[in-house]
Amino acid sequence: MHGGSDIFDVCIVGAGVSGANIARRLSAYDLKVVLVDKEADVSFGVSKANSGIVHGGFHHNKKYLKARLELQGAMMFERLRQELDFPFKRCGIVVAAMHEDEMRAIEQLYMQGVDNGVIGIEMCSRDRIMELEPKLNPDTVGGLWVPGGGIVEPYRFVFSLVENAISNGVVLQTTFAVSAGLRDGDAWRVEAADGRSLQARYVVNAAGLYADQVSAIFGAEQFAIQPRKGEYYLLDRLTKARPDRVVFPVPTSVSKGMLVIPTVEGTVLIGPTAESATDKRDLATTRAQLDKILSSARAMIPAISEYDVITSFAGLRPILDEDFYIAMSAKVPNLVQVAGIQSPGLTASPAIGEYVKDLLKKAGLKLSEKPEYDPFVVKRPHVKELSPYEVDELVAQDPAWANMVCRCEKVSEAEIVAAVRAGHTTLDGVKYFTRAQMGRCQGGFCTYKIIKIIMRETGLSWDQVSKNGDRSRILKDTL
Amino acid sequence: MSEELICITCPLGCHLTIERRPDNTLGVSGNRCARGVRYACEELLSPKRMVTATVRICRPFQAEAAACGETGLGSVARLPVRTSQAYPKEGVAGLLADIYRLEVTVPVKRGTVLLADYKGSGIDIIAARSLQV
Amino acid sequence: MKEMYFDAVVIGGGAAGMAAAQELDQAGFSCAIIEREEQLGGILTQCIHNGFGLIEFKEELTGPEFAERVEERLQGTTIRIFTATTVMEMETTADPKLLYCYSAQWGILRLSCRLVVLAMGCRERNRGNIRIPGDRPAGVYTAGLAQRLVNIEGYVPGKDIVIIGSGDIGLIMARRMSWVGCKVHAVVEILPYPSGLTRNIVQCLNDFDIPLYLSHLTTNIIGRDRVEGVEITPIENGALMHEKAFTIPCDTVLLSVGLVPENELSKVAGVELNPMTNGPQVDSMLMTNVPGVFACGNVLHVHDLVDYVVEESRRAGASAAQWLKGRRPQHEARLKVGANVRYVAPGRVDLQADNKIYLRSLIVKNDALLEVKVNSRVVKSQKKSHIQPSEMIELHLSPKDLEAAIGAPDPLVEIAIN
């Protein structure tokens, strides 16, 4: 370790899926790494609201960096899941053609997939595709089957990456909104809006929607990130419309289209739309777009019913160019740009971690493997996944395992306490970490209990409990 | 000048029209039964409301219990209370302010009078729930 | 894991569960109540307003008083009560039936029993269910969650409030929030008439000069971090008048947009639901399609008065006890929903017994006629001075009313409102 020195080797700006993968990858080496994020918790930006797909490697030509990283990243998920214990399943992807004309586009996707080296990709007749996904509209004429595609819970993936990075020595600083980046000797001084500051030899700009602003703050390249909004509906786990595979329509030139996604946790996600937005904080859903999602999803899976909707939400993708922009800054020293990480960013993110590590090495960062590096997180039990007999054993250690707080998603008090103690001290943080409030009642029954647990575990007073940070306080007064 | 009211005595919801006569009596029309007249007279001449609210609970051993980690998620911070009968409407705001100033030490039994004969009205404020320590 | 046997297990310790359990106990059967909250009484404990009990106790009570009065009837019984205990798994096709219950106090309980009564109540519909678009800030709560926070926890979730939906809970919360010093700026209702009782419109809105916007849809929730306002759009002749939309500034939105019976446990146990009520299909004994599984209270259909919940649940408990003694209905007829009727519960009548039926109308009407037909012939008609969808209608059918159905193959009893 670097005894005595207060200077970090690397400061990663942005604790989304890119920053988290980079941090965790660097934590294998004898380095001092700090991960900073402007939000109250990690994964609160682009990474929290997306489709949660491990893509199949057939949508993009491999002349693009994003396609190569997608193919490479997709292969890394089995191992990551073993190490990091996050929800991931290779359920496969079907692309459904609703008309004979669309079969030509399917064929092109197939050729591109074969060219990219996608394993197991096949063209399907109507019978074959209906066998693979019986919930499809009987009018489906055929399609594409990509067995390697999968589904992942994106925020749980980020939480696990960050947890593992922290246990391997990475320092996390939340509510750290970078306001200045100045050269200070041969290092960067990174300042936050609240007055905190730190020094680091290298800076990685993985600031998602705000990568353009962060680049400007450091005096690096000028570019503009355009937000593109995607709206989604979430359906109850008891819906009759849940498919076994991720169902894609035939893509258009701008978007992969609106999907039907059987999430790893058992609910069904439909969406996203793709609309240019102007405001990077505009996560509003609109009636017109939401209606579009329902009709588009029903065209592929007719059993989808609006009565199964439990919530809707929107996410923003950071659009820069056709491709990812991952490179050393040509303008300022020792700064890596990781910008424009839109789809398939989640799939590519483990490979982005590798790629950025290699860039830093080429730029002179000394990487020596740390013998004590432990790639595993401690597996956390989830009551929902355990048999009563297994829960009975946990109860012997802590009765809170049998105190059910969230009835819809079956989350015990012990799991909520663990989330809060792991630093997820907002209602949204608890929600994404444990799924409590994420089910059909959307927190109607359990919110007051979670507020009480947060207050009890953190010592926060009633007026400090928030949805997702200081500006979103839950309670206004006390009697 | 006439005034209008919706009778709430039964679900029919008759729309009542009421004339104030010079002799200070009321002429009610639009009612389908005699209860409409009674409702209109009371609502216009001396309106009353049942008042329900909550009061602060003082738990003698709360601090110790919290220290032992026994702050159950089902803990109750407020005791529900109500007026023993409907109270004159114009005095409700003042009554509520006085109720919010109350503090009750548990245990308390349902029906316990917390404020007797409030301001000489003959109306009590009573506990609407029993609470243990 | 602790194992116990009861003749009957009642899931839910609200008014319904307590009333059903009391009947089973009185008939001499061993009985347990499983309640997930720390106290009995269900949602009544947070309904601190008055208006309960006029039928059941012949006096006007608040929710906590009503709950406590029902609970007091359990004193002296041998009913075993497990609070803060959640039924997680249920095997109802086996004999005996098995329930796995989780509780911090008891650990994991495995209860075996011959009979289960479902009495889990209902939950509130939320923002997602009615698909209100817009931002997703803090400050959007269901009325019931706000009621819990204010009446039991002593927290005020917001100061400037707009209530969406004019159901009774929303109206009651309009008065409550006013009485704790908040400003309620509006109640917004999509329908052209209020969903709640006139009495509550008068005493909860008019007393506080709270405007009620009928035929208005909430088209947007505004606020990045905390609610800043809601956009309301008038509906005229079924169409949204976008050019007449306006925004009401507020920091909190309370939703009172309906209740849904909470039947997820029932579904997993193979119980068939009636799509009109979202509650189980039950026969004349209030038994579901799964033999030995009964249902009552708001899990069966959403009642307007808790007094009716208690009445129905006592009936369910009594017939459950009879079922345990071996009684099975010999001659049943299916009940059919006729003109202007939303639903009837139960779904069958016993031709040889006195039947009590609850139904809801689809229309608002004065001087309506409730008609009962057996195989298309009117056997009973009743005048109703006033009916409306928000008020449940009670109907008695005696063996005499139904004698035309005896002997008929697959007899059908139709209920209509004209």
Side-chain angles (χ1 to χ4, degrees):
Chain A
M1 293 299 287
H2 297 245
S5 167
D6 288 321
I7 301 180
F8 287 101
D9 293 300
V10 184
C11 169
I12 301 158
V13 180
V17 75
S18 301
N21 267 289
I22 296 163
R24 195 244 180 186
R25 189 68 194 89
L26 294 178
S27 74
Y29 301 98
D30 196 5
L31 296 170
K32 281 186 71 180
V33 178
V34 63
L35 176 64
V36 304
D37 197 283
K38 67 175 173 45
E39 298 294 333
D41 206 338
V42 306
S43 196
F44 266 22
V46 175
S47 300
K48 107 177 144 181
N50 56 67
S51 304
I53 305 270
V54 171
H55 282 287
F58 59 90
H59 273 111
H60 309 285
N61 190 298
K62 68 181 175 194
K63 73 180 181 201
Y64 294 115
L65 175 62
K66 67 178 178 185
R68 299 195 298 277
L69 293 176
E70 174 192 350
L71 289 160
Q72 191 190 337
M75 306 289 279
M76 296 165 76
F77 272 84
E78 266 81 12
R79 176 159 174 196
L80 284 166
R81 188 181 65 96
Q82 279 172 15
E83 293 173 345
L84 298 174
D85 189 36
F86 58 90
F88 162 71
K89 195 177 155 202
R90 252 188 231 287
C91 60
I93 289 171
V94 296
V95 183
M98 305 309 298
H99 193 275
E100 283 298 339
D101 290 352
E102 290 187 336
M103 286 306 285
R104 281 221 295 282
I106 293 281
E107 199 178 337
Q108 274 171 2
L109 288 176
Y110 172 76
M111 302 294 283
Q112 185 159 272
V114 169
D115 191 43
N116 286 353
V118 173
I119 298 163
I121 190 167
E122 50 175 281
M123 291 273 292
C124 300
S125 65
R126 180 186 179 279
D127 286 358
R128 172 74 172 141
I129 202 120
M130 292 303 290
E131 178 195 26
L132 285 161
E133 184 42 71
K135 299 266 165 64
L136 280 176
N137 190 330
D139 293 342
T140 308
V141 297
L144 194 69
W145 164 234
V146 188
I151 44 179
V152 60
E153 296 289 306
Y155 31 84
R156 290 275 298 278
F157 180 37
V158 177
F159 289 156
S160 292
L161 285 162
V162 173
E163 181 183 338
N164 186 236
I166 290 172
S167 70
N168 284 302
V170 171
V171 175
L172 172 69
Q173 299 226 22
T174 50
T175 63
F176 191 107
V178 173
S179 59
L182 307 158
R183 291 302 289 171
D184 185 356
D186 62 350
W188 287 102
R189 195 166 79 246
V190 186
E191 293 177 357
D194 63 1
R196 276 178 286 172
S197 88
L198 54 88
Q199 281 180 292
R201 294 191 175 85
Y202 292 83
V203 167
V204 177
N205 172 18
L209 288 164
Y210 301 89
D212 48 358
Q213 279 159 255
V214 169
S215 184
I217 284 170
F218 283 88
E221 284 78 0
Q222 296 286 329
F223 54 88
I225 301 284
Q226 290 299 325
R228 187 187 289 157
K229 198 195 275 185
E231 300 182 26
Y232 295 89
Y233 273 129
L234 189 68
L235 310 184
D236 192 287
R237 61 176 66 249
L238 293 178
T239 174
K240 292 190 181 85
R242 184 182 157 87
D244 294 326
R245 326 285 180 192
V246 179
V247 180
F248 277 74
V250 173
T252 64
S253 57
V254 289
S255 133
K256 295 187 178 80
M258 285 185 251
L259 331 177
V260 181
I261 303 151
T263 71
V264 199
E265 293 286 2
T267 49
V268 176
L269 194 59
I270 58 176
T273 54
E275 291 290 308
S276 285
T278 46
D279 183 341
K280 291 176 180 175
R281 298 197 64 219
D282 176 11
L283 290 169
T285 53
T286 56
R287 189 161 293 270
Q289 295 295 327
L290 290 176
D291 287 346
K292 211 185 305 179
I293 296 171
L294 268 180
S295 59
S296 167
R298 273 202 204 110
M300 295 191 295
I301 298 191
I304 286 171
S305 160
E306 64 201 82
Y307 298 110
D308 290 328
V309 171
I310 45 182
T311 190
S312 58
F313 60 89
L316 295 170
R317 297 92 127 182
I319 310 295
L320 175 57
D321 224 331
E322 228 177 314
D323 207 351
F324 294 166
Y325 169 34
I326 308 177
M328 291 305 297
S329 168
K331 228 177 140 189
V332 297
N334 297 350
L335 183 134
V336 189
Q337 303 278 21
V338 183
I341 312 299
Q342 54 154 312
S343 178
L346 175 62
T347 313
S349 63
I352 292 173
E354 285 294 325
Y355 194 81
V356 171
K357 175 212 63 170
D358 292 340
L359 284 178
L360 286 165
K361 190 179 173 191
K362 262 186 246 162
L365 180 68
K366 238 185 106 230
L367 300 178
S368 63
E369 281 183 23
K370 208 157 56 181
E372 70 272 24
Y373 171 68
D374 180 359
F376 290 91
V377 296
V378 179
K379 285 195 168 39
R380 285 198 167 82
H382 302 285
V383 165
K384 188 171 72 174
E385 293 157 10
L386 301 177
S387 73
Y389 298 89
E390 291 167 313
V391 178
D392 205 31
E393 285 173 24
L394 290 171
V395 170
Q397 302 150 30
D398 181 2
W401 281 106
N403 189 23
M404 301 312 295
V405 171
C406 167
R407 59 178 75 165
C408 306
E409 292 295 314
K410 300 183 177 172
V411 184
S412 67
E413 183 183 354
E415 289 161 81
I416 303 209
V417 168
V420 176
R421 290 187 182 162
H424 307 290
T425 56
T426 64
L427 285 180
D428 277 0
V430 169
K431 173 163 90 175
Y432 294 120
F433 194 82
T434 65
R435 296 191 65 76
Q437 320 158 66
M438 221 180 247
R440 57 185 72 88
C441 93
Q442 289 284 297
F445 285 118
C446 62
T447 298
Y448 78 88
K449 294 183 181 178
I450 298 171
I451 291 172
K452 282 172 152 176
I453 294 172
I454 291 174
M455 287 168 60
R456 186 185 70 196
E457 295 297 319
T458 60
L460 290 176
S461 62
W462 61 268
D463 58 342
Q464 292 171 309
V465 178
S466 74
K467 183 170 188 287
N468 50 28
D470 258 354
R471 288 174 303 197
S472 61
R473 304 283 173 87
I474 294 296
L475 304 169
K476 289 275 179 182
D477 202 357
T478 174
L479 285 178
Chain B
M1 204 192 80
S2 65
E3 290 168 74
E4 294 199 346
L5 276 182
I6 301 169
C7 178
I8 59 173
T9 317
C10 84
L12 274 176
C14 295
H15 288 255
L16 311 177
T17 308
I18 304 112
E19 306 282 344
R20 283 186 198 259
R21 300 196 187 107
D23 63 350
N24 230 1
T25 60
L26 299 177
V28 180
S29 58
N31 55 307
R32 271 173 255 205
C33 73
R35 290 180 299 174
V37 179
R38 217 176 316 135
Y39 172 77
C41 293
E42 180 165 314
E43 188 63 18
L44 285 188
L45 301 176
S46 59
K48 291 189 179 120
R49 295 291 183 263
M50 285 293 291
V51 175
T52 61
T54 62
V55 302
R56 188 189 305 276
I57 295 169
C58 178
R59 274 200 179 77
F61 303 114
Q62 195 174 23
E64 286 101 305
C68 303
E70 288 178 1
T71 49
L73 301 180
S75 64
V76 170
R78 307 285 297 186
L79 174 76
V81 301
R82 68 172 172 97
T83 51
S84 54
Q85 295 162 54
Y87 188 76
K89 190 178 157 191
E90 77 275 5
V92 167
L95 170 62
L96 279 168
D98 287 330
I99 288 175
Y100 292 141
R101 273 193 281 276
L102 289 175
E103 194 169 88
V104 172
T105 305
V106 287
V108 62
K109 265 197 76 63
R110 187 184 84 237
T112 304
V113 175
L114 306 176
L115 258 181
D117 189 19
Y118 178 72
K119 289 193 171 166
S121 62
I123 289 165
D124 301 331
I125 309 304
I126 61 174
R129 178 178 184 174
S130 306
L131 279 176
Q132 308 305 314
V133 174
Chain C
M1 190 173 298
K2 290 167 202 64
E3 306 208 16
M4 283 181 228
Y5 171 82
F6 296 95
D7 295 323
V9 173
V10 178
I11 307 178
M18 289 193 281
Q22 192 197 355
E23 290 294 322
L24 281 155
D25 178 84
Q26 265 176 12
F29 294 103
S30 65
C31 180
I33 295 176
I34 314 295
E35 166 54 47
R36 53 191 155 202
E37 299 301 327
E38 289 179 31
Q39 293 97 17
L40 291 174
I43 226 72
L44 281 171
T45 58
Q46 68 184 50
C47 300
I48 65 164
H49 54 282
N50 58 300
F52 305 90
L54 281 170
I55 301 167
E56 183 65 25
F57 294 106
K58 313 289 178 235
E59 60 179 301
E60 193 167 356
L61 302 170
T62 62
E65 289 171 308
F66 188 101
E68 217 168 290
R69 295 275 290 264
V70 176
E71 188 179 340
E72 279 164 3
R73 292 172 172 170
L74 305 187
Q75 284 167 9
T77 69
T78 58
I79 298 167
R80 190 69 192 271
I81 293 163
F82 300 91
T83 50
T85 303
T86 306
V87 178
M88 294 288 282
E89 281 179 41
M90 190 155 73
E91 292 167 25
T92 49
T93 45
D95 189 30
K97 302 178 194 309
L98 288 176
L99 287 85
Y100 293 90
C101 313
Y102 293 11
S103 136
Q105 188 184 352
W106 310 97
I108 309 303
L109 293 167
R110 193 169 83 151
L111 305 184
S112 49
C113 60
R114 289 172 59 202
L115 180 141
V116 171
V117 179
L118 306 173
M120 294 89 78
C122 54
R123 68 164 177 274
E124 297 177 279
R125 297 213 301 153
N126 56 47
R127 178 179 176 181
N129 300 142
I130 58 165
R131 296 180 287 132
I132 307 174
D135 293 320
R136 309 200 62 76
V140 183
Y141 308 109
T142 58
L145 172 58
Q147 191 177 47
R148 168 88 204 189
L149 288 170
V150 174
N151 291 347
I152 294 187
E153 313 297 337
Y155 295 125
V156 181
K159 288 294 197 182
D160 289 282
I161 296 170
V162 169
I163 295 174
I164 299 176
S166 64
D168 286 312
I169 309 170
L171 301 175
I172 294 288
M173 281 311 288
R175 176 174 62 189
R176 176 62 51 210
M177 298 313 281
S178 303
W179 272 352
V180 298
C182 303
K183 174 84 185 152
V184 179
H185 295 271
V187 173
V188 181
E189 170 62 54
I190 186 172
L191 296 172
Y193 52 86
S195 317
L197 300 171
T198 312
R199 170 198 170 89
N200 287 332
I201 299 287
V202 171
Q203 297 202 341
C204 300
L205 300 189
N206 300 358
D207 273 8
F208 303 92
D209 295 322
I210 298 168
L212 169 63
Y213 294 96
L214 296 172
S215 295
H216 278 68
L217 182 67
T218 307
T219 40
N220 201 4
I221 291 178
I222 303 152
R224 294 286 155 79
D225 299 304
R226 176 82 198 191
V227 173
E228 290 162 17
V230 291
E231 183 196 72
I232 310 294
T233 307
I235 303 168
E236 290 173 15
N237 302 320
L240 280 172
M241 298 287 109
H242 288 292
E243 67 284 359
K244 293 185 185 168
F246 58 99
T247 298
I248 305 174
C250 59
D251 63 20
T252 301
V253 177
L254 300 187
L255 299 169
S256 170
V257 290
L259 301 167
V260 194
E262 191 154 71
N263 272 298
E264 281 63 37
L265 195 60
S266 327
K267 282 192 211 174
V268 173
V271 170
E272 278 171 24
L273 302 187
N274 175 349
M276 284 317 292
T277 56
N278 285 303
Q281 296 272 16
V282 290
D283 66 11
S284 62
M285 294 181 81
L286 301 179
M287 187 170 82
T288 68
N289 62 305
V290 180
V293 177
F294 290 71
C296 58
N298 283 345
V299 83
L300 180 56
H301 59 118
V302 176
H303 297 57
D304 46 1
L305 293 179
V306 70
D307 301 73
Y308 294 142
V309 165
V310 170
E311 184 282 322
E312 179 182 270
S313 303
R314 254 203 307 267
R315 208 150 28 89
S319 68
Q322 288 188 346
W323 189 86
L324 285 172
K325 288 175 183 161
R327 180 176 178 267
R328 303 289 182 270
Q330 296 303 309
H331 298 285
E332 280 195 321
R334 273 189 302 130
L335 276 179
K336 188 184 167 204
V337 168
N340 300 320
V341 175
R342 202 164 103 79
Y343 72 77
V344 293
R348 287 170 179 275
V349 281
D350 186 336
L351 302 178
Q352 294 165 314
D354 280 313
N355 296 276
K356 184 160 193 174
I357 292 146
Y358 287 118
L359 61 138
R360 276 186 197 271
S361 143
L362 283 166
I363 53 169
V364 182
K365 194 172 181 184
N366 288 337
D367 303 319
L369 195 65
L370 182 61
E371 277 188 335
V372 182
K373 294 178 197 166
V374 171
N375 294 340
S376 308
R377 205 166 53 80
V378 177
V379 295
K380 186 171 189 171
S381 65
Q382 270 179 14
K383 282 208 178 100
K384 294 277 163 193
S385 57
H386 178 83
I387 53 158
Q388 62 187 59
S390 60
E391 291 190 25
M392 255 168 47
I393 301 167
E394 238 183 288
L395 174 67
H396 291 266
L397 289 179
S398 65
K400 197 166 169 299
D401 295 329
L402 299 168
E403 63 190 352
I406 289 185
D410 192 18
L412 200 57
V413 176
E414 182 179 330
I415 298 175
I417 294 171
N418 292 304

